[in-house]
């Protein structure tokens, strides 16, 4: 692959969350991926990050059944309840 993606989404798990948050986000920043989503199905959270001058800025944190507009797909609403298994 010669071109960085415009967006990545990482599904976090207890065994990989540290790797995803530390090592992978550093690689994505180095490769200039402009947006990253971190989805935690256990905590039922979504974090939306944007790369700004080589540093990640949190644009949005949301949880449970909220409906959000999350960059870079903010033209449409995303119902987070659709991401989680029913309780």
């Amino acid at each position: 692959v010669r071109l960085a993606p415009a967006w990545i989404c990482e599904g976090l798990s207890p065994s990989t969350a540290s790797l995803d948050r530390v090592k992978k986000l550093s690689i994505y920043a180095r490769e200039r991926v402009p947006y990253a989503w971190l989805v935690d199905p256990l905590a039922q959270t979504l974090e939306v990050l944007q790369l700004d001058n080589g540093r990640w800025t949190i644009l949005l944190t949301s949880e449970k059944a909220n409906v959000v507009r999350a960059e870079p797909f903010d033209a449409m609403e995303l119902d987070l309840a659709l991401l989680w298994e029913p309780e």
Side-chain angles (χ1 to χ4, degrees):
V1 177
R2 295 178 187 216
L3 181 64
W7 164 80
I8 62 93
C9 181
E10 288 286 351
L12 304 178
S13 70
S15 63
T16 65
S18 177
L19 173 70
D20 295 335
R21 290 182 175 280
V22 179
K23 291 185 181 182
K24 286 186 179 180
L25 280 179
S26 295
I27 293 168
Y28 300 145
R30 181 189 72 211
E31 298 301 320
R32 299 186 189 119
V33 176
Y35 294 97
W37 287 12
L38 301 176
V39 178
D40 187 332
L42 294 178
Q44 297 185 349
T45 59
L46 168 67
E47 293 175 69
V48 177
L49 310 171
Q50 180 178 24
L51 192 63
D52 184 20
N53 292 319
R55 294 180 161 263
W56 291 108
T57 301
I58 298 173
L59 297 180
L60 171 77
T61 56
S62 195
E63 65 178 352
K64 306 287 183 190
N66 290 334
V67 175
V68 299
R69 290 184 180 268
E71 291 188 43
F73 307 109
D74 52 328
M76 60 185 230
E77 290 184 335
L78 172 63
D79 182 354
L80 295 182
L82 298 173
L83 299 178
W84 325 126
E85 288 186 36
E87 294 184 18

